[in-house]
Amino acid sequence: MKLSKQDILKALETITVPGEGQNMVESGSVTNVVTFGDEVIVDITIKNPSLQARKKTEVEILQAIHKHVYEKAKIKVNVKVDAPEKPQANTIKGKPIPGIQNIVAVASGKGGVGKSTVTANIAIMLAKMGFKVGVLDADIYGPSMPIMFDVEMEKPLSVTVDGKSKMKPVENYGVKILSIGFFTKPDQAVIWRGPMAAKALNQMIFDAAWGELDFLLLDLPPGTGDIHLSIMQSLPITGAVVVSTPQNVALADAKKGVAMFQQDSINVPVLGIIENMAYFTPEELPNNKYYIFGKEGAKHLAEDLDVPLLGEIPLVQSIREAGDVGRPAAMQVATPTEKAFEKLTQNVVQEVVNRNENLPETEAIKITTMAGCSAVNKK
Ligand SMILES: Nc1ncnc2c1ncn2[C@@H]1O[C@H](COP(=O)(O)OP(=O)(O)OP(=O)(O)O)[C@@H](O)[C@H]1O
Ligand SMILES: [Mg+2]
């Protein structure tokens, strides 16, 4: 059997490298193909430095050649990783929001899966670990941070920084908070169009005295709408986490959420997926786990999309109660809930560290509208 280079390239065209959009031949990932008889050597260069990504691509190549060309082909794949250069220490200075080291967006496709609950608890855990933390409630349609942190009655004060008047975030449990909820009446529905919402958010980001922060968490509204685009336009987001519950309907939406961040034009690194309400545990029987919404759905989705599964948070009555009374469950020391949030938060921090070591800073994106069509460019 004599294999042809042409056939091999055709087979490789059926493979898409995650995050790179086109097939691997088109994207230039395949740098060389050599065949002799039934042997083939494929040289490829990929951007994703993770071992998992390398293995996955290798397996896909073997499968594609065996399936489309010759099932007994002997294949060797040489993988070269071409990760973008690490940012130099001195490039950090030019950050658009001075003093804020990492911005982590918490998103979901579907509503009500527990983004705000997870955001509040990660914030508490980060503060407990000694980090300086802020939360920006970017859910301008249904702000929940004021209730979750028991600060509904508070109003941000105005302070003067470098001669400019700025909003001082409200603080509780060691976490700084800004939310549109501070500026509207509790029962007043906020129905804004994208641009107005974006303006309000911009003010809470740039006209606020956040001070030094290790992490600014963004609690996003559900979905993948124009508010998300506005936020990514204004902010260099370090990474995004996507929350899902185990049901198929939520997972399908979570997949869309991940895809939104990974689009070429947006390109915000996805730090991982969080499975919330992963199983039900009665408070009095903490070892009993009931997988009422299905088991390990998020784990499979994470494997599928080649992103880490950051944690599994159980469905526990006290998490809901804690949220309602404004004392996030992660504050209850030595409970299984605290443990679950602690592990999750450690994983988030680890992924932020990995991301900062391996990828350059995220740039805010600029949207330009030209004659009715919109193009998305890097600034
Ligand atoms: N692990 C959990 N165990 C028990 N209750 C939970 C859990 N996670 C969230 N909840 C409850 O589910 C409800 C919805 O959660 P939350 O408001 O955090 O979701 P969300 O994704 O932010 O919703 P939205 O899309 O409306 O912003 C709240 O009442 C919350 O207390
Ligand atoms: Mg919410």
Side-chain angles (χ1 to χ4, degrees), residues 279-297:
Y279 49 87
F280 166 69
T281 293
E283 224 88 36
E284 61 284 7
L285 295 167
N287 293 325
N288 289 24
K289 296 179 177 180
Y290 302 93
Y291 293 88
I292 47 184
F293 296 142
K295 199 175 174 187
E296 297 185 340

Side-chain angles (χ1 to χ4, degrees), residues 108 110-114 243-252 254 273-278 293-294 297-298 301:
S108 73
K110 197 167 146 35
V113 296
V243 182
S244 184
T245 50
Q247 304 96 314
N248 283 339
V249 277
L251 293 165
I273 293 178
I274 298 169
E275 186 167 69
N276 188 31
M277 312 192 200
F293 296 142
L301 179 65

Side-chain angles (χ1 to χ4, degrees), residues 110-172:
K110 197 167 146 35
V113 296
K115 281 175 302 300
S116 304
T117 305
V118 165
T119 309
N121 282 289
I122 293 180
I124 292 283
M125 250 10 271
L126 285 169
K128 277 209 225 178
M129 291 173 181
F131 291 110
K132 299 195 188 76
V133 193
V135 173
L136 177 65
D137 188 350
D139 191 346
I140 48 155
Y141 304 110
S144 26
M145 286 306 143
I147 292 183
M148 292 196 177
F149 279 88
D150 192 22
V151 288
E152 297 147 89
M153 295 309 174
E154 308 224 4
K155 293 268 170 292
L157 300 172
S158 164
V159 288
T160 309
V161 182
D162 299 333
K164 286 194 196 116
S165 162
K166 301 227 164 184
M167 251 184 282
K168 186 169 182 278
V170 167
E171 195 168 336
N172 201 10

Side-chain angles (χ1 to χ4, degrees), residues 36 44 89 172 180 207 247 265 275 297 317 324:
F36 347 68
I44 60 163
N172 201 10
I180 201 71
D207 298 339
Q247 304 96 314
S265 53
E275 186 167 69
Q317 189 168 336
D324 285 353

Side-chain angles (χ1 to χ4, degrees), residues 313-335:
I313 305 297
L315 173 66
V316 198
Q317 189 168 336
S318 62
I319 294 185
R320 200 268 305 148
E321 286 168 353
D324 285 353
V325 299
R327 288 183 62 80
M331 294 174 67
Q332 298 160 3
V333 290
T335 57

